[in-house]
């Protein structure tokens, strides 16, 4: 493929390697969009947690839980972008795909937020 046919973004972010099969690139993009939807769901959950006064939960604890959920949203969105680039680079260089570092972070964040809310309900 001629370099003049590649866009400036592609040249800047993916300067080397071969163009991967479009199906794999599009699958990577769909996965990125799924992580983005997850991030938006966390953001909505954090906003709802703070906006809705759940009876029996200390307001400071509720605010803390909402902040944790919103921070998780931010981490997921950033992690999704980084993961998309890392996978695209690995495919272009015919290297093994990187491990999904977002998944353990997501699991830990859900556990922490749920524990805070659970302890607040006791």
């Amino acid at each position: 493929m001629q370099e003049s046919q590649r866009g400036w973004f592609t040249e800047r972010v993916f300067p080397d390697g071969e163009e991967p099969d479009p199906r794999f690139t599009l699958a990577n993009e769909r996965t990125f969009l799924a992580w983005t939807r997850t991030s938006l769901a966390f953001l909505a959950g954090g906003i709802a947690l703070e906006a809705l006064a759940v009876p029996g939960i200390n307001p400071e604890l509720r605010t803390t839980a909402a902040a944790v959920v919103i921070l998780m949203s931010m981490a997921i969105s950033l992690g999704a972008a980084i993961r998309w680039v890392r996978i695209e680079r690995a495919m272009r260089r015919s290297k093994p795909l990187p491990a999904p570092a977002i998944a353990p972070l997501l699991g830990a964040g859900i556990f922490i937020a749920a524990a805070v809310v659970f302890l607040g309900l006791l």
Side-chain angles (χ1 to χ4, degrees):
M1 176 172 272
Q2 294 177 354
E3 286 196 1
S4 62
Q5 292 178 334
R6 298 176 75 198
W8 68 267
F9 180 80
T10 305
E11 284 293 328
R12 181 89 170 143
V13 179
F14 310 117
D16 59 348
E18 300 291 320
E19 285 291 319
D21 185 324
R23 294 173 293 179
F24 300 136
T25 295
L26 293 172
N28 188 29
E29 185 176 317
R30 285 191 299 273
T31 303
F32 166 76
L33 294 172
W35 281 112
T36 301
R37 285 189 299 274
T38 301
S39 173
L40 289 171
F42 268 71
L43 178 60
I47 292 169
L49 188 57
E50 180 57 26
L52 304 174
V54 179
I57 296 182
N58 179 321
E60 288 126 16
L61 188 60
R62 187 182 72 237
T63 299
T64 301
V68 168
V69 172
I70 291 170
L71 285 171
M72 287 303 305
S73 170
M74 295 167 62
I76 292 166
S77 65
L78 178 62
I82 292 169
R83 180 169 167 71
W84 174 77
V85 169
R86 290 180 68 211
I87 288 176
E88 190 68 21
R89 284 181 180 161
M91 288 191 302
R92 288 172 181 272
R93 296 172 180 162
S94 298
K95 300 284 185 184
L97 298 181
I102 306 172
L105 175 67
L106 178 61
I110 291 170
F111 177 81
I112 291 167
V116 168
V117 173
F118 177 74
L119 293 174
L121 291 173
L122 293 180

